[in-house]
Amino acid sequence: MEKFTIYTGTTVPLMNDNIDTDQLLPKQFLKLIDKKCFGKYLMYAWRYLDDNYTENPDFIFNQAPYRKGTILISGDNFGAGSSREHAAWALADYGFRVIIAGSFGDIHYNNDLNNGILPIVQPREVRETLAALHPDQEVTVDLEKQMIFSPAGNFHFDIDADWKHKLLNGLDDIGITLQYEDLITQYEKNRPSYWK
């Protein structure tokens, strides 16, 4: 997993509450297995007018000033619904590195973290302040300091210490296991032959 230390990007405001995992990635795309192809299908029903991928010009992702945004500002209960990790794959493949919401579905919150996306909980007034930024204005998220720095103000956020350590060091579950590679190798060498 790529390290997350300090990230700077522009925002995309989508202040809807209760955006669930089926809205993030509809069920018909769950049969795909390559994590790198899901961005095209993110919020499919909202982004496109038809199955030919005709863009809906009213949807904010399709509006020129927001196309390059990588920090999503959203409502309450983001990622509620099913446990599909594909929704986090779609957000990551689209390019989002930070999601700032009022609250998250528990499983989706962890899926975001496992895929290198930093989910941040903030009160509505902070999210409305960030959502009102001009699309060219940059926001910086400093994970070490647990701060959001923006032209409209600076805001602290909380994160579990274990997750903070994993993100700062780019450690997923496999990376954590590999930290013990020498011990694992030594164990393999010393285990009784009847276990082999």
Side-chain angles (χ1 to χ4, degrees):
M1 180 166 60
E2 182 181 346
K3 290 181 181 181
F4 191 113
T5 53
I6 297 173
Y7 182 77
T8 300
T10 56
T11 59
V12 180
L14 184 63
M15 295 295 287
N16 303 43
D17 292 333
N18 304 310
I19 296 176
D20 65 33
T21 52
D22 193 52
Q23 291 165 324
L24 291 171
L25 189 80
K27 63 186 178 304
Q28 65 265 34
F29 302 114
L30 298 182
K31 61 188 174 187
L32 303 172
I33 57 172
D34 184 357
K35 287 184 181 185
K36 298 297 181 190
C37 66
F38 282 94
K40 178 178 181 179
Y41 311 115
L42 179 65
M43 298 187 190
Y44 178 85
W46 296 349
R47 282 173 65 194
Y48 305 112
L49 296 173
D50 54 42
D51 289 339
N52 294 318
Y53 300 96
T54 305
E55 289 186 350
N56 176 358
D58 295 328
F59 188 61
I60 197 160
F61 285 24
N62 298 330
Q63 295 170 10
Y66 296 102
R67 285 188 182 272
K68 295 182 180 178
T70 55
I71 299 174
L72 181 62
I73 313 297
S74 196
D76 296 326
N77 198 29
F78 185 87
S82 75
S83 62
R84 65 185 72 168
E85 189 175 9
H86 303 67
W89 295 352
L91 287 161
D93 189 55
Y94 183 85
F96 286 115
R97 292 298 315 276
V98 178
I99 300 171
I100 301 173
S103 59
F104 290 84
D106 290 342
I107 295 173
H108 182 76
Y109 181 88
N110 288 317
N111 286 340
D112 282 344
L113 289 165
N114 278 320
N115 286 279
I117 300 170
L118 179 58
I120 297 174
V121 174
Q122 289 289 289
R124 181 164 295 276
E125 57 269 20
V126 171
R127 288 178 283 133
E128 288 176 349
T129 297
L130 295 172
L133 292 173
H134 187 276
D136 290 334
Q137 290 181 297
E138 292 186 332
V139 171
T140 296
V141 177
D142 186 325
L143 180 55
E144 182 64 45
K145 294 179 180 176
Q146 294 179 218
M147 289 293 296
I148 301 166
F149 298 102
S150 84
N154 304 326
F155 311 100
H156 178 268
F157 63 90
D158 294 321
I159 185 170
D160 175 81
D162 288 336
W163 277 114
K164 180 177 178 179
H165 172 76
K166 289 178 185 179
L167 288 171
L168 286 171
N169 294 284
L171 296 171
D172 56 15
D173 290 341
I174 294 171
I176 290 170
T177 302
L178 289 175
Q179 289 181 315
Y180 302 98
E181 187 173 13
D182 292 342
L183 291 173
I184 295 168
T185 301
Q186 188 63 38
Y187 171 80
E188 291 290 326
K189 287 179 182 176
N190 294 331
R191 70 182 179 159
S193 61
Y194 56 82
W195 286 0
K196 296 181 181 179

